[in-house]
Amino acid sequence: MNANATQPAAFRKQAEARLTPAETRVVPGSRGVVDYRRGVHSADSRSGADSRSGPQNLGEPVATRPRLRSDRSPEHAEPSRFLPHVQGLRAIAVLFVVLYHFWPARLPGGYVGVDIFFVISGFLITGHLMRELTATGTVKLGQFWARRARRLLPASLLVLLVCALVAMSPYLTPTSALPNEVQEIVASTFYVQNWFLAFTSADYLNHGGEPTTVQHYWSLSLEEQFYVVWPLLMLLAAWVAVKWIRGNVRRTVLITLGAVSVASFVFCVVFTLTNPAPAYFVTFTRMWQFGVGAMIALVPMLRVRNRWLSFVLGWGGVLVLLFVAFRFDGQTPFPGYMAALPTLGAAAIIAASNTERWWYPTRVLSLRPAQFIGDISYSLYLWHWPLIVIAPSVPFWGLTIYHRVALLGICFVLAWLTKRFVEDPTRSWKVLTSRPAKVTLWTSLAAMLVVALTAGGAWAVNATTYRDGVTTLAQLREDPPDCFGAASVLEPGCETTDFGDSILPAPGFAGVDRPGDEQCFIQLNDSRAQQCDFGSDAPDAPRIALVGDSHAFQLLSTMQRIADAEGWHLTTYFKGACPWNATPLSTPGAFGDACSDWRAGVQESLDAQEFDAVFTAAIATTPYSSAGYGSSYDAAVAGYREAWSTMTDRGIPVVTVVDNPVWETDPNKCLRTRDATECNGARADVLVDNDPLRGAADGQDLVTLLDFTDVYCDDEVCAPVVGGANIYRDQDHLTVTFADSLAPQITGALREAMTR
């Protein structure tokens, strides 16, 4: 598509009048002559939009030079030069993301690396488009999009193709994850992954659910959408400037993009407060970050040349980025207003332009190691996450620090190979560059269809296995074997039962063995005290409440079965990472406030109803504020007792349970390739011995404590499989199948509590 055809003649004539054929200028600080009419520049723009390199005969009069091909746009029609420190900033961005994914506890805010990329893209692409718009009065959209496709799609589709092939293997991809894996590969192929994740309420920062190998493509999808929308906005602004207000094109573009950015920022702040999970992925919540980079490209005054101001601005930006990388975490309300810190930090580094001294950030970020990482940053981003997801399922591959470091090295090698043999060659592939833009675009579409069909093939190969797994799981829940699961330890006469190598549900299918009724589970910054009711509706039915975080929610299906069998009425209240406790979380900001608000709403609802017993559970590692207490543990114990007293003071008994072990990674990844005994975890590593629930229940009237620690663990190790039952569906949540095997003990405890 050639946007030139859509522009009024007056617009084109105005551009031509500004730029006479002989107009050239030597730009201070540049390495050659810039020809505004021809768009020739001597700099190698590795960090910017695609540029052509090689001798340019810059001293030759314009009239004697051959015409540019009509299907190519003068992408450097204004001063532009390679900015090494921007390439170094790419290195910071990709290292933040990669190290965050490898060691999230060490760099909890490393996810801001993608925000840095957004600012860089806004700066480079806006400058590129503005140069072309100034020189020709238009932007050749077809050529622009074709260059983007040649730059980005080959490496991207290669990694997606590998992920699709991996999805075919039940050894590397759990069968239970196959539907999501295939859907997300297809969504990533057509660059709508961010919207898919937004609509499915994925929780990126808190690692909710089981992430696929392509979850990180959400940011690439968002950038591609930016590449589509941004030039259209600039063209619209330029058309309005010429057609309606007879104004300066640059100023009108600046005002338009500024207005869009302000509106996007306001929307980002509001939407993050109201719907934080989708807000992380939605395109318009991120557009302002591209806009910040665009402002630096459009306003020359923002590119600081003063040496001391440049020094302070550059290093100040670096310090801001380091601060957020180490201080932000999964509970930070993000993007929201907090995203302004990494965004402005990245913008400050870009704006710092003075390179006079070796200790200036512009020079330090220009060192060869930073340039190398910046060069391979795109491929490194593409490869690192699939390898992290796949590696634990590879036979004989462990999770030690040595394995992680080795895997990190493999990521760098793959990134360099992809850059050297895929990215660079295809960008200048004459089969495409010597033909009209539509050839590149149609070729790209064909390649995308090949990847999508391969992903569909992964589903076709494993569809029968998936359907069989669903059937087997349903049968297992309805009719479990004798002495199955916890019964093998807790039931008399079951001690000698041997299930051999049997593991149910199968390690490749445990991920779907979870409670339904997800609408009852409140997440993130949502503070609604959502009440759900199950079981008997008889007026005289005993009333049971189930309250807590995701470790209470994991018992929902089991409690529903108990309520149906016993003729009880079950009322539930759940919120992720927010136990029923009166002590505030140590997590600051919107998430901690939402937890406090949810608790207040739940307490109000509990106070307004009559219950015969309340059951509660919580993860033992929840961080509590220790203000006013000797430790976070003491604060948690006191908070549980205060919350429970609102029931026990009314004569309503409380039943609780010591938390189950929490693993570093999903044990099923080990179980798919190794013997179950090889997948045991050291008790000291996976079990919290001083669970505050145990301390809170000690010596309390009308409080019953269930402790299944001896089911999960012996004196030294904890097992992922007990009595033939697969205990975990992920790193810390029980399968419904195993939770059901605890039903007799839970039922007995509730019966006894209600008879006190």
Side-chain angles (χ1 to χ4, degrees):
M1 176 180 178
N2 188 340
N4 192 47
T6 67
Q7 303 305 312
F11 189 6
R12 294 194 297 273
K13 289 180 180 178
Q14 185 185 79
E16 292 168 0
R18 289 195 304 267
L19 303 170
T20 64
E23 182 177 359
T24 59
R25 180 180 302 174
V26 177
V27 181
S30 69
R31 291 179 290 177
V33 179
V34 175
D35 177 353
Y36 279 136
R37 180 62 175 169
R38 292 283 312 280
V40 177
H41 192 275
S42 62
D44 171 25
S45 181
R46 284 177 291 161
S47 66
D50 304 305
S51 66
R52 290 176 285 277
S53 58
Q56 300 291 347
N57 298 322
L58 295 177
E60 183 182 351
V62 175
T64 67
R65 299 180 202 163
R67 282 186 171 274
L68 285 177
R69 287 175 52 100
S70 61
D71 62 342
R72 294 189 180 180
S73 58
E75 59 225 49
H76 294 296
E78 283 195 6
S80 172
R81 60 194 178 107
F82 172 54
L83 301 176
H85 74 284
V86 175
Q87 194 75 337
L89 183 58
R90 287 185 193 272
I92 292 177
V94 77
L95 287 177
F96 274 9
V97 175
V98 171
L99 295 178
Y100 166 66
H101 285 151
F102 268 90
W103 293 281
R106 302 292 184 184
L107 198 70
Y111 54 83
V112 301
V114 295
D115 303 81
I116 301 172
F117 280 127
F118 294 158
V119 179
I120 294 174
S121 293
F123 170 70
L124 297 174
I125 296 303
T126 303
H128 161 80
L129 293 170
M130 195 67 233
R131 289 189 291 275
E132 182 174 352
L133 190 58
T134 301
T136 68
T138 188
V139 172
K140 292 186 176 181
L141 293 176
Q143 284 298 317
F144 173 76
W145 290 332
R147 285 193 301 273
R148 293 290 88 204
R150 291 194 296 269
R151 167 69 179 87
L152 300 174
L153 261 62
S156 172
L157 295 181
L158 171 64
V159 175
L160 288 173
L161 184 63
V162 171
C163 291
L165 294 173
V166 167
M168 290 186 182
S169 169
Y171 296 101
L172 298 178
T173 301
T175 307
S176 61
L178 190 61
N180 273 348
E181 189 75 32
V182 170
Q183 290 179 80
E184 291 193 28
I185 289 174
V186 173
S188 299
T189 299
F190 294 101
Y191 289 97
V192 292
Q193 168 76 330
N194 62 315
W195 288 104
F196 179 87
L197 294 176
F199 288 134
T200 56
S201 297
D203 180 4
Y204 182 82
L205 296 185
N206 289 286
H207 312 288
E210 185 68 19
T212 66
T213 57
V214 297
Q215 188 179 79
H216 64 314
Y217 270 73
W218 74 269
S219 64
L220 303 178
S221 298
L222 199 151
E223 288 216 31
E224 289 294 334
Q225 293 157 29
F226 160 75
Y227 297 143
V228 172
V229 172
W230 212 246
L232 295 176
L233 282 174
M234 294 179 68
L235 278 174
L236 176 62
W239 180 77
V240 169
V242 173
K243 180 69 175 178
W244 297 103
I245 63 177
R246 306 291 180 182
N248 180 280
V249 170
R250 178 183 289 270
R251 184 183 303 115
T252 307
V253 170
L254 179 64
I255 293 172
T256 301
L257 298 185
V260 169
S261 299
V262 170
S264 170
F265 180 72
V266 172
F267 176 76
C268 174
V269 172
V270 173
F271 199 45
T272 300
L273 292 174
T274 56
N275 294 280
Y280 194 84
F281 303 107
V282 170
T283 304
F284 200 59
T285 61
R286 301 296 193 143
M287 200 63 73
W288 65 276
Q289 296 180 296
F290 295 97
V292 169
M295 295 303 105
I296 303 174
L298 294 175
V299 182
M301 289 179 59
L302 295 179
R303 296 192 287 277
V304 179
R305 298 295 301 175
N306 178 275
R307 59 180 181 178
W308 290 113
L309 183 56
S310 178
F311 174 84
V312 172
L313 198 62
W315 282 121
V318 171
L319 291 176
V320 166
L321 294 183
L322 290 173
F323 172 81
V324 298
F326 284 99
R327 298 296 296 175
F328 282 17
D329 58 25
Q331 307 304 328
T332 303
F334 205 88
Y337 62 90
M338 298 298 285
L341 279 177
T343 301
L344 294 177
I349 295 172
I350 295 174
S353 302
N354 192 289
T355 60
E356 290 183 9
R357 300 289 187 270
W358 68 265
W359 62 83
Y360 285 12
T362 47
R363 294 282 292 275
V364 174
L365 290 175
S366 301
L367 295 176
R368 185 55 198 158
Q371 296 298 291
F372 171 74
I373 296 174
D375 286 345
I376 66 169
S377 60
Y378 179 57
S379 290
L380 181 59
Y381 182 85
L382 290 174
W383 280 114
H384 83 281
W385 181 248
L387 295 184
I388 289 174
V389 174
I390 296 167
S393 299
V394 176
F396 312 112
W397 190 273
L399 292 171
T400 66
I401 183 64
Y402 305 106
H403 287 101
R404 291 174 186 261
V405 171
L407 189 63
L408 182 61
I410 293 172
C411 291
F412 273 87
V413 171
L414 277 177
W416 178 80
L417 291 173
T418 305
K419 175 72 165 56
R420 175 68 176 81
F421 297 105
V422 178
E423 284 191 63
D424 291 344
T426 54
R427 191 186 312 182
S428 56
W429 195 19
K430 289 186 178 180
V431 173
L432 298 177
T433 57
S434 62
R435 288 173 170 80
K438 62 183 179 181
V439 175
T440 293
L441 298 177
W442 281 111
T443 302
S444 299
L445 178 59
M448 294 162 78
L449 289 173
V450 169
V451 174
L453 290 173
T454 305
W459 169 252
V461 168
N462 293 282
T464 301
T465 303
Y466 183 86
R467 287 191 289 267
D468 291 345
V470 172
T471 302
T472 301
L473 183 59
Q475 294 172 346
L476 178 63
R477 289 187 184 180
E478 289 298 323
D479 186 23
D482 293 335
C483 296
F484 181 70
S488 65
V489 178
L490 300 174
E491 295 294 330
C494 287
E495 298 87 349
T496 59
T497 303
D498 185 8
F499 286 88
D501 296 330
S502 174
I503 302 176
L504 298 173
F509 215 77
V512 298
D513 195 8
R514 57 190 305 134
D517 299 291
E518 298 261 348
Q519 76 280 1
C520 300
F521 185 70
I522 302 303
Q523 300 189 51
L524 294 170
N525 297 353
D526 193 341
S527 61
R528 293 175 296 123
Q530 179 68 48
Q531 175 178 320
C532 291
D533 292 279
F534 307 94
S536 175
D537 291 327
D540 60 344
R543 295 176 59 83
I544 308 296
L546 175 60
V547 189
D549 60 13
S550 62
H551 281 215
F553 178 71
Q554 70 185 357
L555 301 175
L556 174 58
S557 295
T558 301
M559 293 292 285
Q560 287 174 313
R561 285 176 173 271
I562 293 172
D564 291 338
E566 298 293 323
W568 296 344
H569 182 90
L570 177 66
T571 299
T572 66
Y573 305 90
F574 306 113
K575 177 170 170 58
C578 183
W580 182 36
N581 189 301
T583 300
L585 301 181
S586 63
T587 307
F591 182 85
D593 294 341
C595 181
S596 297
D597 293 343
W598 176 82
R599 289 171 173 175
V602 168
Q603 194 60 58
E604 182 179 349
S605 183
L606 290 172
D607 291 342
Q609 301 179 66
E610 291 295 330
F611 293 99
D612 293 279
V614 177
F615 194 101
T616 187
I619 189 168
T621 54
T622 301
Y624 293 94
S625 172
S626 60
Y629 298 93
S631 65
S632 177
Y633 173 83
D634 293 338
V637 169
Y640 281 125
R641 289 180 175 177
E642 182 179 343
W644 300 346
S645 68
T646 61
M647 297 290 103
T648 56
D649 287 350
R650 295 166 55 192
I652 301 172
V654 172
V655 179
T656 188
V657 58
V658 173
D659 193 28
N660 54 262
V662 174
W663 300 67
E664 183 178 9
T665 189
D666 185 354
N668 288 286
K669 294 179 179 179
C670 176
L671 292 173
R672 290 204 304 273
T673 58
R674 300 172 181 83
D675 185 80
T677 57
E678 297 179 42
C679 299
N680 292 338
R683 177 173 174 141
D685 294 336
V686 301
L687 185 68
V688 177
D689 284 331
N690 58 338
D691 187 340
L693 281 167
R694 182 186 284 112
D698 186 32
Q700 298 298 298
D701 293 334
L702 292 181
V703 176
T704 301
L705 178 70
L706 292 170
D707 189 347
F708 299 119
T709 300
D710 290 341
V711 175
Y712 305 117
C713 311
D714 59 24
D715 292 340
E716 296 182 358
V717 300
C718 298
V721 179
V722 170
N726 193 339
I727 299 178
Y728 303 97
R729 58 180 165 88
D730 56 30
Q731 61 264 35
D732 67 299
H733 293 103
L734 306 178
T735 60
V736 170
T737 300
F738 180 80
D740 283 349
S741 73
L742 300 172
Q745 286 69 37
I746 294 174
T747 304
L750 286 169
R751 284 177 182 165
E752 183 179 349
M754 288 188 287
T755 59
R756 290 184 181 179

